[in-house]
Amino acid sequence: MNRFTKLLSTLFFCLTLLNKTSAQEVKHCASTEMQQRVWDTNPQLYKDYLKENARLEVIDKAAYTNRYKNNTRGTGPVYIVPVVFHIIHEYGPENISDAQIKDAVRILNEDFRKLNADTATIAPASFKSIAADVEIEFRLAQKDPNGNCTNGIDRIVSSQTNIGNDGSKLNPWPRANYLNIWTTAAINNSTTGSSGYTYYPGGSPSAAVDGVIIISNYVGSIGTGTARLSTDLTHELGHFFNLNHVWGYTNTAGVTCGDDGVTDTPITKGHNNTCSHTDQTCTAGVIENDQNYMDYSFCYVMFTEGQKTRMRTSITGTASQRDSLWTPTNLQNTGISLPAVLCKADFQSSNTTNTVCQGSSLTFTDLSWNGVPTGRTWSFPGGTPSTSTVQSPVIQYTSAGTYDVALTVTNSSGTVSATKTAYVTVNASTGTYANAFYSEGFEGAAIPNTSWRINNKVPDGNTWIQTSVAAATGTNSVRIVNDSSYDRYIDELVGPSVDMTKIIGANPTLTYKVANAQKASTGLGSADKLQVYVSTNCGLTWVLRQTLTGAALSTAGVNATWSQPASASEWVTKTTSLSGYTSQTNFYFMFRFTSNGGNNVYLDDINISGTTGIKEEIASNLDFNVYPNPAEENAIIAFTLLDKQKVNIKMYDVLGRVVSSVFEGNLNAGEHQYPITAKSSLSSGVYFIKLRVGGESFTKKLIIK
């Protein structure tokens, strides 16, 4: 049986095996599954793949004869490939740094050029003699498809980072000009444990999804990456240039002896996280190449000369336009063959939130690219010093507020500048509010303002705003518009600093009124989340105090079309304990909303107060209210009981006479409402509603117009 016939047998065996793979099996690479799905829907692509492999079989045999047996291995040319990394993220750890991406490119070039130091570990000697310098190199693009300057890193904010399939391959650059690599937080393609996948040459369902997609922590060896996982990208690019796994076209290492169609890679079952360098399982007397990048051994350090031939044949072939990547014209159009031009000024601070306490310092770092600056001019309004010319200046901020930062960099290629507006937030070192209690009803200045600020974690124009559409009391509240397009988006509403030592009473609480309805009871729209965080270090770090998710957040049940509260009963008071923070002179609190694509969320009547006894404890949970107030026709008395209580409600005039005995009796726990018909039975004037619960009395004033 010749090698091509054996390859066909392996391919057809794989079609059966893939259907029997256990759902719990660990698969490091999903290329075979994803490729098979495409072939199942497009048999012609599968036929083209077999035809291409037949061509490679002839070339591989000729190369083996001419190069290996006759010891006439040629060198060059070195094929240079322009690369763009599309970082799909939601501002989490999946938003890996430029440095981590550059480290990944370094590793790729070491692996493909046989510059990796661990080639010294190759065993036995017979494999060391055929370890190949593939003579393919990768460079980050310096020009984008429109001819603009780029660093070859394209950052895209999208919840697709949590999906990781072809739909997550956003903003593809033309595959004829760029190798597209997408990084995501997850790979979710019905395979368990996969780190990434790609399509073989000619196997992609469309040009727009041709390239590699890989989990972000498998990229590079620094940051969130590790040295052990960093070569998975090398593995995927082996598939991109038409290499199979060393055991053949399956994703089941260690199961069945197979052949990858390459002359100098021995038949093998493959190895899952194991390395012996002596394995002869498939052919007696023939040691298997467990250090090959296309194995699953995780001790891989090499490609063979045969694999080199196969990849170089692929990159010079027309399948999927691989042959256009390295042409001189394309290298010039993508900026690869041009001198590095200083084309963008950029920087970051030492705190990812760019937040600092009054009197403290931040360190700024120049991140400008692509050329190396020979001169810098920093501007720090509100900072000390206010200007600098060093690469990483340390700036102190002595006054609370928000401040711009600007940087101008220059070298022989030119000058570029960047200004980031309101980039630094300096929080007061003592509480802005130092009263017996704190209260906010959003009736004043629109947010953000001097007291309230917004962190829009996924800048999309949609975040917390002041609105007059609905209010628990008064005319305004704050609202965040929410629907399926915002799934997984995060928006934070940060309140002012409070001197908690001035709050009267023990066991202080944060109370607020919220209105929301679940869009669905399960699935998308069912799990919107509102959380309360607090900080004692000017917002540098936050501590979670309360989480309301789904039904616990909803105040109006499940309603797919709900957009705003229809009645006062849809406003519900929530309480967060602030016990343990009474000694803090600079206390911050924050509402964080995480969308699950549900309905709008409203907040109003935010209060921080202390309690001094049983009456205050009852009051903090009672949510006793009379509305509307003033009233023209009807009013509602509303309150909430935490447990069964004897209740008495009476209405008095200004002379203390009983106007109406509204209710007397026992009530169960829950929300309760009683109407007052004002227009027909009461004259204009001032009245008092007295609510007696658990032996304690509470009074509200009501004005009848």
Side-chain angles (χ1 to χ4, degrees):
M1 181 183 295
N2 63 36
R3 294 180 65 84
F4 181 57
T5 303
K6 288 191 285 185
L7 174 61
L8 290 178
S9 299
T10 301
L11 290 170
F12 287 116
F13 170 77
C14 166
L15 303 183
T16 302
L17 188 60
L18 286 175
N19 292 328
K20 296 179 179 180
T21 302
S22 166
Q24 298 303 314
E25 181 185 358
V26 175
K27 306 180 180 74
H28 304 292
C29 159
S31 293
T32 51
E33 283 89 350
M34 298 303 291
Q35 186 65 77
Q36 190 60 50
R37 293 179 189 183
V38 173
W39 285 342
D40 287 344
T41 58
N42 192 332
Q44 184 58 48
L45 283 178
Y46 179 63
K47 293 178 181 178
D48 293 343
Y49 171 80
L50 294 180
K51 183 178 179 180
E52 175 70 0
N53 273 277
R55 183 179 74 89
L56 292 177
E57 176 78 8
V58 174
I59 294 172
D60 189 23
K61 284 183 176 180
Y64 182 79
T65 300
N66 294 331
R67 290 187 178 186
Y68 313 153
K69 289 188 175 181
N70 299 327
N71 196 28
T72 58
R73 301 179 192 176
T75 60
V78 175
Y79 298 116
I80 298 174
V81 177
V83 181
V84 55
F85 278 79
H86 306 279
I87 313 303
I88 315 301
H89 70 97
E90 288 187 311
Y91 291 94
E94 74 282 355
N95 187 21
I96 55 179
S97 68
D98 290 4
Q100 187 170 340
I101 296 164
K102 292 175 183 177
D103 187 59
V105 176
R106 172 190 66 80
I107 292 169
L108 285 176
N109 287 325
E110 289 180 356
D111 292 349
F112 274 79
R113 292 305 313 271
K114 194 187 169 185
L115 297 173
N116 49 309
D118 48 12
T119 55
T121 67
I122 296 175
S126 57
F127 286 130
K128 185 174 290 188
S129 67
I130 61 169
D133 171 4
V134 181
E135 296 178 294
I136 295 176
E137 291 184 7
F138 305 90
R139 307 276 177 82
L140 289 169
Q142 292 195 71
K143 287 187 177 181
D144 69 12
N146 296 318
N148 299 318
C149 182
T150 181
N151 62 350
I153 301 171
D154 176 32
R155 297 185 184 276
I156 304 171
V157 179
S158 173
S159 58
Q160 282 286 336
T161 189
N162 302 293
I163 300 173
N165 59 18
D166 280 358
S168 305
K169 296 177 178 178
L170 305 176
N171 193 35
W173 293 9
R175 74 170 178 189
N177 311 112
Y178 305 90
L179 164 59
N180 287 281
I181 299 175
W182 291 269
T183 71
T184 54
I187 296 293
N188 183 14
N189 49 56
S190 300
T191 61
T192 301
S194 299
S195 62
Y197 69 89
T198 189
Y199 292 110
Y200 293 89
S204 176
S206 72
V209 298
D210 198 13
V212 175
I213 185 168
I214 192 166
I215 296 176
S216 58
N217 62 322
Y218 284 75
V219 176
S221 62
I222 63 175
T224 65
T226 63
R228 183 174 186 270
L229 301 180
S230 63
T231 46
D232 270 34
L233 187 54
T234 302
H235 177 104
E236 294 303 334
L237 284 174
H239 290 312
F240 183 82
F241 293 120
N242 218 7
L243 294 186
N244 284 312
H245 293 133
V246 287
W247 59 88
Y249 179 76
T250 77
N251 199 13
T252 51
V255 175
T256 303
C257 294
D259 185 14
D260 63 354
V262 176
T263 303
D264 58 1
T265 55
I267 292 176
T268 182
K269 285 185 177 182
H271 308 82
N272 272 313
N273 301 294
T274 59
C275 285
S276 68
H277 311 328
T278 59
D279 183 22
Q280 302 178 32
T281 300
C282 291
T283 305
V286 177
I287 297 176
E288 298 168 22
N289 187 203
D290 58 13
Q291 292 176 286
N292 197 288
Y293 286 122
M294 303 313 293
D295 206 334
Y296 280 174
S297 63
F298 274 103
C299 66
Y300 23 62
V301 298
M302 64 173 287
F303 290 116
T304 68
E305 286 287 344
Q307 289 173 317
K308 169 183 177 176
T309 299
R310 188 178 179 93
M311 286 191 281
R312 290 176 65 81
T313 302
S314 170
I315 203 172
T316 56
T318 59
S320 297
Q321 300 175 290
R322 302 285 194 264
D323 61 334
S324 66
L325 289 168
W326 47 268
T327 63
T329 298
N330 190 53
L331 296 183
Q332 183 171 2
N333 290 341
T334 57
I336 298 300
S337 60
L338 300 176
V341 174
L342 187 60
C343 58
K344 183 176 180 180
D346 195 12
F347 55 86
Q348 68 181 19
S349 81
S350 52
N351 187 311
T352 57
T353 64
N354 307 313
T355 301
V356 67
C357 281
Q358 183 180 358
S360 298
S361 299
L362 285 173
T363 300
F364 295 86
T365 302
D366 178 8
L367 299 177
S368 302
W369 41 271
N370 287 311
V372 178
T374 56
R376 299 176 181 84
T377 302
W378 294 89
S379 176
F380 301 102
T384 302
S386 60
T387 62
S388 179
T389 58
V390 301
Q391 182 176 3
S392 299
V394 178
I395 308 300
Q396 183 183 40
Y397 289 90
T398 57
S399 299
T402 56
Y403 300 98
D404 301 345
V405 176
L407 171 64
T408 298
V409 290
T410 185
N411 69 6
S412 59
S413 67
T415 299
V416 288
S417 300
T419 298
K420 297 185 180 182
T421 304
Y423 183 69
V424 174
T425 298
V426 182
N427 289 324
S429 57
T430 58
T432 303
Y433 288 86
N435 302 315
F437 63 91
Y438 170 78
S439 181
E440 177 61 72
F442 303 104
E443 300 299 319
I447 60 169
N449 53 42
T450 56
S451 294
W452 291 82
R453 72 176 189 269
I454 295 167
N455 294 328
N456 191 354
K457 292 292 188 178
V458 186
D460 57 344
N462 176 69
T463 190
W464 294 102
I465 62 168
Q466 186 186 66
T467 180
S468 59
V469 169
T473 58
T475 59
N476 293 332
S477 65
V478 290
R479 173 187 70 177
I480 188 164
V481 174
N482 183 36
D483 59 40
S484 58
S485 63
Y486 302 123
D487 182 29
R488 300 178 189 271
Y489 281 21
I490 298 174
D491 291 86
E492 296 174 343
L493 179 64
V494 183
S497 59
V498 177
D499 185 347
M500 295 293 286
T501 66
K502 305 299 183 183
I503 300 295
I504 295 177
N507 303 317
T509 60
L510 168 69
T511 62
Y512 58 95
K513 292 182 179 178
V514 63
N516 167 259
Q518 282 181 285
K519 181 173 287 185
S521 57
T522 60
L524 186 65
S526 67
D528 289 332
K529 181 165 59 178
L530 183 69
Q531 295 172 297
V532 177
Y533 286 82
V534 299
S535 174
T536 58
N537 58 5
C538 298
L540 300 181
T541 58
W542 295 91
V543 176
L544 178 63
R545 296 294 294 179
Q546 184 181 45
T547 297
L548 302 173
T549 304
L553 172 62
S554 175
T555 63
V558 179
N559 185 339
T561 61
W562 191 95
S563 63
Q564 64 194 57
S567 66
S569 64
E570 294 184 4
W571 286 97
V572 174
T573 298
K574 301 295 183 180
T575 301
T576 304
S577 172
L578 301 182
S579 177
Y581 293 96
T582 55
S583 63
Q584 298 298 322
T585 59
N586 196 30
F587 175 83
Y588 285 84
F589 62 95
M590 172 179 71
F591 296 93
R592 174 182 289 174
F593 177 71
T594 304
S595 172
N596 182 235
N599 289 321
N600 300 343
V601 176
Y602 295 78
L603 292 176
D604 203 359
D605 291 351
I606 296 170
N607 297 278
I608 295 178
S609 60
T611 58
T612 59
I614 297 175
K615 180 174 181 177
E616 288 75 10
E617 184 176 354
I618 296 172
S620 68
N621 296 306
L622 191 58
D623 194 23
F624 175 31
N625 196 17
V626 181
Y627 62 89
N629 196 357
E632 292 184 348
E633 295 187 357
N634 299 309
I636 298 292
I637 302 170
F639 56 93
T640 301
L641 299 178
L642 296 182
D643 50 25
K644 187 175 181 180
Q645 293 280 358
K646 183 176 181 179
V647 175
N648 184 294
I649 308 172
K650 290 184 178 180
M651 184 174 185
Y652 299 81
D653 63 14
V654 292
L655 298 177
R657 296 175 299 192
V658 176
V659 175
S660 174
S661 293
V662 180
F663 177 83
E664 183 173 4
N666 293 321
L667 291 177
N668 291 325
E671 298 177 20
H672 301 277
Q673 294 184 0
Y674 292 89
I676 297 174
T677 305
K679 186 175 182 180
S680 61
S681 60
L682 299 172
S683 58
S684 299
V686 177
Y687 297 87
F688 297 92
I689 309 298
K690 181 175 285 188
L691 171 65
R692 188 172 181 82
V693 177
E696 301 290 348
S697 296
F698 308 90
T699 303
K700 293 282 187 180
K701 181 170 66 175
L702 172 64
I703 299 173
I704 303 296
K705 289 186 175 180

